[in-house]
Amino acid sequence: MLAGIITPPLILAGQGGANLPPGDAQYLVSTSLIVCGLLSMVQITRFHIYKTPYYIGTGLISVVGTSFTVIPIATGAFAQMYATGFCQLDADGNKLPCPKAYGALIGTGTVCALLEILLSFTKPSLLKRIFPPLVTGPTVALIGIKLIESGFKNWAGGSGSCYDRPETGPFSLCPAVGAPHALPWGSAEFIGLGFSVFLTIILCERYGSPIMKSCAVVVGLLVGCIIAGATGYFSSSGINSAPAVNFIWVKTFPLSIYGPIVLPLLAVYIVLMMEAIGDITATCDVSRLEVSGKLFDSRIQGGVLADGLNGLLSGLLTITPLSTFAQNNGVIALTRCANRKAGYACCFFLLVMGIFSKFAAALVAIPAAVLGGMTTFLFSAVAISGIRIISTINFTRRNRFILTAAMALGFGATLVPNWFAYVFTYTGSNNAKRGFFNAITL
């Protein structure tokens, strides 16, 4: 869970995202931990809305974290913002920090969260008919496949300007000229460093104890950090300059609505809603609670409503949309502990790790190759989750035809990302028209 929480802010604040300064990246990692701890409590507690049959929260160990689903939309939007002049480039064409791009992302996400809030008052059975596994499964799988590209780029050194391997300039080496143990993108040292993380995760899963299997990703990250520290990849300057304590709104970003990502983010919230329904159902199952009937439906309704509210609140708290995590289901099945006190203890430790920001500064200092080895595994797990959802449907001729049509376009756009980039090339002064075309492209 910890690895899943810190990964989105690191990617979105990095060179492949809004290119924020290290201090802002540290703040986002700290705040992500704090916000996830606070809003997980909302899901776990389950509040009854006065004089209504509705609830907020599941009343289960339903922990929330920053969602991977928003990453491909955000990185595509950030690239578009730099291309259209919304964000600035320096004289050499390198990206300058663009906090207003991040503010546009969380501002738009806050408004789009209203869709999930409204849908939470619909019967779960109706939602499942409107958004069946035939729709959500390919979507989740394609999101994971797209994310693997980002993980692989970081594994080889970084996903920013150094990815193009310029022969001169500050990004001729990764992460930048003058950084500790800087090397050209794709160097064998970077590949080996990331592979140490990936291999450790596999070994933990194959030979580790049950509790080590649950912590395999964190163990892999720790091993990679030890190797990177011993071989001189770490810089302590960011850790030394980080404040001792951090909290929400220590740094802020100018909120705005960026029109081209409204439709993609609405689709993101539909996916998050269906993921929440599946995760809550699984949590009820492993907690040995009923998975049908009025009480179960009220847990689904409360969980989806809390998921939407968390998406709205997270934007106001300077964090990208959250989702209900599924890792807790494996832990419940392993430990046979479904007591909510364990969930509250998890929230407490998230708050502590977020408030003491030296911890976040150490996470931001992790080399991109180490993060790449870890995130490639995590993103692949997202794709496999989509395949698992697809596997629940009957493979009739009709369903195979729909999957074929959807996957043909999805795989094609993923493998050839600029395939649709030159269809709408309007450059006139009509901002609404240009924004509409940008939204279609995204």
Side-chain angles (χ1 to χ4, degrees):
M1 177 184 177
L2 178 64
I5 290 175
I6 67 173
T7 297
L10 287 174
I11 291 176
L12 297 180
Q15 293 182 5
N19 201 34
L20 300 178
D24 288 2
Q26 293 169 9
Y27 163 79
L28 289 178
V29 172
S30 286
T31 306
S32 181
L33 293 166
I34 295 170
V35 171
C36 290
L38 291 174
L39 297 185
S40 289
M41 292 182 184
V42 176
Q43 274 286 26
I44 295 170
T45 303
R46 184 169 161 86
F47 301 94
H48 180 247
I49 301 177
Y50 184 62
K51 289 187 176 181
T52 72
Y54 301 112
Y55 291 84
I56 301 174
T58 63
L60 307 168
I61 303 182
S62 298
V63 292
V64 302
T66 42
S67 174
F68 290 158
T69 311
V70 76
I71 294 176
I73 302 298
T75 52
F78 291 152
Q80 193 178 83
M81 290 175 185
Y82 280 105
T84 58
F86 187 90
C87 295
Q88 301 301 312
L89 304 171
D90 64 14
D92 297 324
N94 298 314
K95 297 178 181 177
L96 296 174
C98 192
K100 69 176 183 178
Y102 185 81
L105 172 65
I106 59 176
T108 310
T110 298
V111 175
C112 291
L114 296 173
L115 174 65
E116 187 175 4
I117 293 173
L118 293 174
L119 289 174
S120 69
F121 298 103
T122 306
K123 288 184 178 181
S125 57
L126 179 59
L127 291 176
K128 290 180 180 179
R129 285 200 298 269
I130 298 174
F131 307 108
L134 189 60
V135 174
T136 57
T139 304
V140 174
L142 290 170
I143 287 171
I145 291 168
K146 177 62 178 177
L147 288 172
I148 291 172
E149 177 188 2
S150 171
F152 250 48
K153 286 181 178 179
N154 281 316
W155 189 334
S159 58
S161 299
C162 69
Y163 166 67
D164 297 322
R165 290 179 65 106
E167 295 184 0
T168 59
F171 296 107
S172 57
L173 301 177
C174 289
V177 173
H181 211 113
L183 297 164
W185 188 90
S187 297
E189 292 91 332
F190 286 146
I191 302 295
L193 186 58
F195 188 73
S196 69
V197 180
F198 196 82
L199 181 62
T200 301
I201 295 172
I202 294 173
L203 292 175
C204 286
E205 181 63 32
R206 177 64 183 84
Y207 300 106
S209 64
I211 192 66
M212 183 173 284
K213 290 180 180 179
S214 298
C215 304
V217 175
V218 175
V219 173
L221 185 64
L222 180 61
V223 169
C225 288
I226 292 172
I227 296 173
T231 51
Y233 286 87
F234 268 98
S235 172
S236 62
S237 59
I239 302 173
N240 295 333
S241 62
V245 176
N246 181 57
F247 205 67
I248 302 165
W249 295 317
V250 169
K251 295 181 183 290
T252 57
F253 303 89
L255 295 180
S256 63
I257 304 296
Y258 186 67
I261 57 173
V262 170
L263 292 178
L265 283 178
L266 290 175
V268 163
Y269 275 106
I270 290 173
V271 173
L272 295 182
M273 177 186 65
M274 300 312 297
E275 284 184 351
I277 292 174
D279 292 340
I280 295 165
T281 303
T283 305
C284 287
D285 186 38
V286 297
S287 301
R288 299 183 180 179
L289 298 172
E290 57 188 74
V291 290
S292 61
K294 289 186 65 176
L295 178 58
F296 171 72
D297 286 347
S298 73
R299 291 190 191 278
I300 295 291
Q301 176 274 313
V304 172
L305 177 55
D307 206 55
L309 288 173
N310 287 348
L312 188 151
L313 292 173
S314 65
L316 299 178
L317 299 174
T318 68
I319 296 299
T320 52
L322 307 181
S323 64
T324 304
F325 272 19
Q327 291 93 326
N328 56 308
N329 298 327
V331 175
I332 294 172
L334 174 67
T335 62
R336 297 185 180 181
C337 174
N339 194 312
R340 289 186 295 175
K341 291 180 181 178
Y344 290 129
C346 170
C347 296
F348 171 76
F349 285 112
L350 288 176
L351 288 171
V352 171
M353 288 187 289
I355 290 172
F356 294 101
S357 58
K358 294 291 185 182
F359 178 78
L363 295 175
V364 172
I366 295 174
V370 175
L371 287 173
M374 176 196 70
T375 55
T376 298
F377 184 88
L378 291 176
F379 296 155
S380 181
V382 174
I384 297 303
S385 296
I387 295 172
R388 182 188 61 81
I389 294 172
I390 295 172
S391 69
T392 62
I393 68 174
N394 295 320
F395 278 82
T396 62
R397 179 180 177 85
R398 172 182 176 274
N399 289 345
R400 290 199 308 271
F401 180 83
I402 294 172
L403 280 173
T404 301
M407 290 299 194
L409 293 175
F411 284 142
T414 301
L415 295 171
V416 188
N418 62 343
W419 177 73
F420 203 72
Y422 307 106
V423 175
F424 298 113
T425 56
Y426 177 76
T427 57
S429 59
N430 190 327
N431 292 330
K433 185 176 181 180
R434 186 168 62 247
F436 176 70
F437 289 156
N438 288 342
I440 294 175
T441 303
L442 277 177

